Amino acid sequence: MPGSRPEQGHAAQGRVGSTRTAFIPGPRLAGWVERFAASHGDLGYEDHDDGVRLAAADGATALLVAPWPDDGRPGRGSGLVERLASLASQPRTVGLLLVRRGGYGVAVASEGVILAAKTGSKYVQSRTAAGGQSQQRFARRRANQADAMVEAVAEQARLVFGGQVFGYILPGGDRGLADEVLAHPALKPWAGLPRLAYLDVPDPRAAVLKKAAADACAVRVTVTDPPPW
């Protein structure tokens, strides 16, 4: 029929809105929720397995996740958001290990403040599209560079972590490299600590590490906008 667009309407049912992530300190969470409601309409609150889920009148959602588990110290308050903000505001100490092909950052932080830290630059070659012997040569070089980086970062982490007391490990950057560093024998004293959710970070220079220390103690908010029509 003229003017009807059934194919587009049917496709729209499967569309997913854009998603973005922000880190909100506990004391600012209530204000953030108020602004979210002002922009998207009345909110529904759900005690989700991963945190608190907000569902807005316009179809937008927000998942609020505490930076750490309650570990027997749940947040206080009468509402879901209030208790989550209280939990995030508890002073806890976290060891950060951020590593990417271009560098690394290691720190111990409490309440967003870095207590000890070290950053450095290393290099692991990107994958190559070359074939044959060239590809094998590049692969060996890349593997050697990665091994050297793991050794170097593990040693720096040992030096930063030793002498500090903290309850969690927060890895970030390249998941594979971070996992290799954390599995290194030099970090065996901290192998049993619970790991928090990975942080997606660029090459961890000093400014990146400082922001990560603040994010480590903040509520992770994932907003999904309503799909376009």
Side-chain angles (χ1 to χ4, degrees), residues 64-81:
L64 318 180
V65 181
W68 38 65
D70 62 44
D71 288 342
R73 293 173 282 172
R76 298 179 179 180
S78 58
L80 293 174
V81 172

Side-chain angles (χ1 to χ4, degrees), residues 119-183:
T119 59
S121 298
K122 299 291 287 184
Y123 176 72
V124 178
Q125 189 170 14
S126 300
R127 297 183 184 276
T128 177
Q133 293 183 349
S134 294
Q135 185 179 29
Q136 296 174 8
R137 184 169 61 254
F138 279 117
R140 287 194 298 270
R141 184 182 303 167
R142 188 176 189 276
N144 290 338
Q145 291 170 345
D147 289 344
M149 176 173 235
V150 168
E151 290 286 339
V153 178
E155 176 60 17
Q156 292 302 324
R158 183 188 68 81
L159 294 174
V160 171
F161 291 168
Q164 300 290 332
V165 178
F166 51 95
Y168 310 91
I169 293 285
L170 177 59
D174 185 306
R175 186 182 293 263
L177 281 174
D179 285 346
E180 286 189 53
V181 173
L182 290 170

Side-chain angles (χ1 to χ4, degrees), residues 18-110:
S18 61
T19 299
R20 60 188 185 278
T21 300
F23 293 86
I24 310 299
R28 299 180 185 174
L29 187 62
W32 184 93
V33 171
E34 290 178 2
R35 292 189 295 274
F36 183 72
S39 298
H40 298 279
D42 292 341
L43 300 179
Y45 296 78
E46 177 186 351
D47 190 359
H48 196 272
D49 289 343
D50 295 326
V52 176
R53 184 177 183 273
L54 311 180
D58 70 351
T61 63
L63 181 62
L64 318 180
V65 181
W68 38 65
D70 62 44
D71 288 342
R73 293 173 282 172
R76 298 179 179 180
S78 58
L80 293 174
V81 172
E82 187 177 0
R83 290 196 294 273
L84 180 60
S86 173
L87 173 60
S89 299
Q90 293 175 1
R92 301 196 189 186
T93 307
V94 179
L96 294 93
L97 191 146
L98 313 177
V99 57
R100 293 186 66 87
R101 290 199 309 263
Y104 66 89
V106 183
V108 176
S110 181

